[in-house]
Amino acid sequence: MSDALADKRTASRFRILAEIADRQPAVSQGEIAEAVGVTSQAVSEYIRELVDDGLVEKEGRSRYRVTKEGVDWLFREAKSLRRYVDHVTDDVLESLQEDAAIAVEAVEAGDTVTLSIRNGLLHATPGEEGAATGVATTDAEAGTDVGVTGFEGVIDMAPGTVTVYQVPPVRAGGSRGVDADALGEACESADLVLASGVEAVVALRRVDHSPAVAAGAGEVAAEAAARGQEVVVAVTRDEVGRVTDTLRDGETEYVVEGG
């Protein structure tokens, strides 16, 4: 555990040193006192100790700078704090988190269940034969929602890909300029079909594939692909950049087709 969590005095030293680093070289002890929640006199005493310990050097009246040794100490404590936070987040809280899944078979509260992703949704099957398991918190019949907690393991799931199919803007032919056979074939093999732009919506309707959503397509596509679904997004050419930017931000694999 970080020394900054071991006792209040070390925690105060950490926070005051961080405040000095943030404000240097002109340091207002009153502002630091307000930020940390101690008196100005206490801040003065802490700074004097930090100077004596070689973590801070005084350059003049109310002018201080964190030394290399002080920076190294801050880094060590910050990394230790980060490891502790990651442990609490990933190990402690994750095991306490409750989520909803679809029961593949009848489940009783307290049963161990195997977790899997199907069609982008979490499913729970009685037993512990899979790589990821949890514990049911509610009774549920097959096909209904069940609460699950105590997650262990990793769900075996390969991320999906997104096909961004460009549709010409109306001034360049709009939906009439689309290769209907190619667009229809792409949609047939997709788990989810989305649209961005009026021309794209109409193009999908012309191939008998109304989009699930026609707004926020990039965000929805990225989330669906992360859950293992194969997605087609028909996009009016003028809006392609907006969609692909969102996919790149989400580190989602995608290809651009059509024109």
Side-chain angles (χ1 to χ4, degrees):
M1 182 184 296
S2 165
D3 289 340
L5 293 176
D7 63 85
K8 183 177 180 180
R9 187 166 189 82
T10 306
S12 296
R13 281 169 61 93
F14 176 81
R15 294 189 62 190
I16 290 171
L17 189 58
E19 289 291 334
I20 294 173
D22 187 41
R23 301 166 187 269
Q24 64 184 16
V27 175
S28 167
Q29 295 186 13
E31 291 178 355
I32 293 178
E34 183 177 354
V36 177
V38 297
T39 66
S40 295
Q41 181 180 356
V43 171
S44 179
E45 293 176 358
Y46 276 114
I47 291 179
R48 185 162 51 250
E49 289 181 2
L50 293 170
V51 171
D52 292 342
D53 292 343
L55 304 182
V56 171
E57 60 183 7
K58 186 174 182 179
E59 298 182 340
R61 184 176 177 82
S62 297
R63 294 181 68 83
Y64 299 89
R65 190 175 297 277
V66 178
T67 64
K68 179 182 181 302
E69 291 75 11
V71 171
D72 290 342
W73 187 81
L74 277 175
F75 266 120
R76 287 196 301 272
E77 290 301 314
K79 288 181 179 178
S80 183
L81 283 170
R82 184 179 298 114
R83 286 195 296 270
Y84 184 72
V85 170
D86 288 344
H87 163 66
V88 172
T89 302
D90 298 338
D91 301 329
V92 179
L93 295 181
E94 188 69 22
S95 66
L96 297 177
Q97 179 184 355
E98 183 175 11
D99 209 341
I102 296 175
V104 177
E105 301 173 13
V107 178
E108 293 184 1
D111 286 351
T112 297
V113 294
T114 293
L115 303 172
S116 59
I117 298 291
R118 305 182 186 182
N119 298 320
L121 298 173
L122 186 65
H123 284 65
T125 303
E128 48 184 324
E129 299 177 358
T133 62
V135 177
T137 60
T138 61
D139 297 338
E141 298 178 0
T144 64
D145 50 321
V146 58
V148 181
T149 190
F151 301 99
E152 294 184 1
V154 178
I155 296 177
D156 185 15
M157 178 188 68
T161 58
V162 178
T163 298
V164 179
Y165 199 95
Q166 299 182 94
V167 177
V170 68
R171 62 180 178 277
S175 63
R176 301 166 190 80
V178 170
D179 183 337
D181 290 338
L183 177 59
E185 183 177 348
C187 292
E188 285 294 335
S189 59
D191 298 310
L192 184 65
V193 177
L194 312 171
S196 180
V198 171
E199 299 95 330
V201 172
V202 175
L204 288 172
R205 289 175 178 172
R206 287 168 65 92
V207 296
D208 297 324
H209 284 280
S210 294
V213 299
E219 291 82 354
V220 175
E223 178 68 21
R227 292 173 174 265
Q229 292 190 287
E230 297 298 318
V231 185
V232 168
V233 185
V235 187
T236 303
R237 191 183 301 150
D238 294 344
E239 300 187 18
V240 168
R242 184 183 306 170
V243 172
T244 56
D245 284 349
T246 301
L247 296 176
R248 280 195 296 272
D249 289 344
E251 299 182 353
T252 305
E253 182 179 348
Y254 70 90
V255 296
V256 178
E257 296 182 358

